[in-house]
Structures are given as C-alpha cells and as structure tokens.
Amino acid sequence: MDSGVLGSRVVREAQLLLKAIEKEGLQGGEHDKSPVVRPRHIHDPGIQQERQVIHVYPYDDLAQRTAVREALAKDTARAQIPGGGEFIVAQEAEIMIPAPFMRPLGSRDYGSGNVYEMRIYTYEPGQIPKVLEAWATAIPDREKFSPLAACWYSELGGLNKFVHTWVYKDLNERACGREEARTSGGAWPPQAGVRPIRQENKLLVPAAFSPVR
C-alpha cells in the first residue's frame, strides 16, 4: 500500500443513529470535495451488545487530515445535513498506519451482500514489527480462502494494536474459510514468535452508501 495514514473512528450509538448516519451519507456525497477522504463506512449488524458505526478515512499524512477536517468544519452546506449526533453515546478515534502488504482501500471489488470480520489484536510494546514481518509472508496463502480487505496498526490512540479485516459472503463461508486456512498445511496462522495479550473481533456489514458495499 502507498504511504499515508488512516483515520479510524468508532461511534457507539443509540438505536436510531444508524438511520441518521446513512441518511447523511447518502445526501452528503456532493459536499465531499476531496475524494481521497471519502469514507469506508461499516456498521455492526447487532451481533454484539453495543451497536457501532466504524468509518475509515485515508489521508496522505496528518497535515492533510487537519486541513480536511478544518475545511469540513467550514462547509455550511454539509453542516445542514442532520448527522444524528444526539444519538451518540461514545466515540473513539485512532490514527492507523497501513501494513506494507495491505492493498489500497477501494482497489478491489468484493461484490455486494458481504460480511466483514474485523479482528483487533493488542501486543506488548515493541512487538508489532515482528507481527508485520511474519504476516507479510503468510498472507498470500491465507487469501486463497478469503480476501484481506484491510490491515493496519495503530500510531495514535490505542497503542500496539494490529487490526485485520476479512471479507466473507456469509457467516457459513467465514466458518469454512477459517477452518480450511488452519488445516491446509500452509503458513497459517503466522508464526511471529509473539502472542497478542488481548483479542477482539467485530462482525460488520457495509452501510448503504459505503464504497465497500
């Protein structure tokens, strides 16, 4: 993947926020003057206890992120679109660095009707380079069973996080793909010599206006 940073936000919502955000996203495209920051939105379909909306914006660097956010704050037309802020109960923001082997967001067409599994591994300080090295050699074999939609690690916000997101047609394909990857005799899971101290996963579906839909 080309150099750059990714701005990732997780919004924990009350029940009605998703409808408000999807309405804003469908209406707000004409006000997004910088296609490089068009968001990749994915929302949690209710499998977890808390509803979440995740959006990821690619930037050339932190300076561009600041400039874009300042420009959006001054966009009066965009400000008129209801955003559902009254339904937000919590927000998290992180700056992530794409893994060297990650393909650019939006560069592949996965079709529609998919589910995405986002897996978040937290490691002890200083271990991420070992993880990146091990994963770089293992990804080609793993992608025989399902595509790697995104992979990045944290630079600002929650530190020492390694995030990888996979695409499946449905949950049955997810179960089969994961089992085949483990039993195929290939290099999966990658052997980095370190283990995560915490693991999380989210099962996600794209919002109606998301480019990854």
Side-chain angles (χ1 to χ4, degrees):
M1 164 129 187
D2 294 338
S3 60
V5 299
L6 298 164
S8 173
R9 284 181 178 269
V10 178
V11 180
R12 303 184 191 279
E13 47 158 288
Q15 186 71 16
L16 298 177
L17 176 61
L18 179 59
K19 292 182 179 179
I21 287 181
E22 291 200 332
K23 181 178 180 181
E24 177 188 13
L26 292 170
Q27 293 178 350
E30 62 187 276
H31 304 300
D32 183 356
K33 299 179 177 59
S34 178
V36 73
V37 296
R38 192 170 300 280
R40 274 71 181 171
H41 290 257
I42 305 174
H43 76 267
D44 184 326
I47 293 176
Q48 298 183 339
Q49 292 182 350
E50 294 182 291
R51 297 181 61 86
Q52 299 180 7
V53 175
I54 300 172
H55 43 111
V56 179
Y57 300 82
Y59 302 98
D60 293 337
D61 51 36
L62 291 178
Q64 193 215 11
R65 175 180 180 270
T66 299
V68 168
R69 290 179 61 80
E70 288 177 351
L72 291 174
K74 298 175 183 177
D75 188 336
T76 55
R78 183 176 181 275
Q80 299 304 312
I81 302 173
E86 65 272 26
F87 303 119
I88 295 174
V89 297
Q91 297 185 78
E92 303 167 16
E94 296 176 321
I95 299 299
M96 316 297 285
I97 305 296
F101 48 82
M102 173 181 155
R103 300 190 191 188
L105 290 173
S107 64
R108 292 193 285 181
D109 183 0
Y110 304 117
S112 60
N114 297 311
V115 296
Y116 291 75
E117 181 179 20
M118 174 180 284
R119 300 184 68 87
I120 305 166
Y121 296 171
T122 302
Y123 289 87
E124 292 182 349
Q127 303 299 339
I128 293 296
K130 298 177 183 178
V131 176
L132 292 172
E133 182 179 2
W135 278 62
T137 60
I139 287 299
D141 280 344
R142 178 61 177 83
E143 285 204 298
K144 295 176 182 177
F145 307 103
S146 57
L148 178 67
C151 187
W152 48 67
Y153 58 97
S154 57
E155 177 71 9
L156 298 173
L159 299 179
N160 306 309
K161 289 184 179 181
F162 179 75
V163 182
H164 46 111
T165 302
W166 303 88
V167 188
Y168 303 99
K169 289 298 181 185
D170 51 40
L171 296 184
N172 182 62
E173 183 179 82
R174 171 184 176 269
C176 292
R178 286 173 55 80
E179 180 63 21
E180 290 173 354
R182 284 194 295 265
T183 59
S184 65
W188 199 262
Q191 301 302 309
V194 294
R195 292 183 176 274
I197 57 176
R198 182 180 178 186
Q199 298 185 57
E200 307 169 58
N201 78 322
K202 306 174 190 287
L203 293 176
L204 309 160
V205 295
F209 57 91
S210 170
V212 303
R213 188 170 180 82

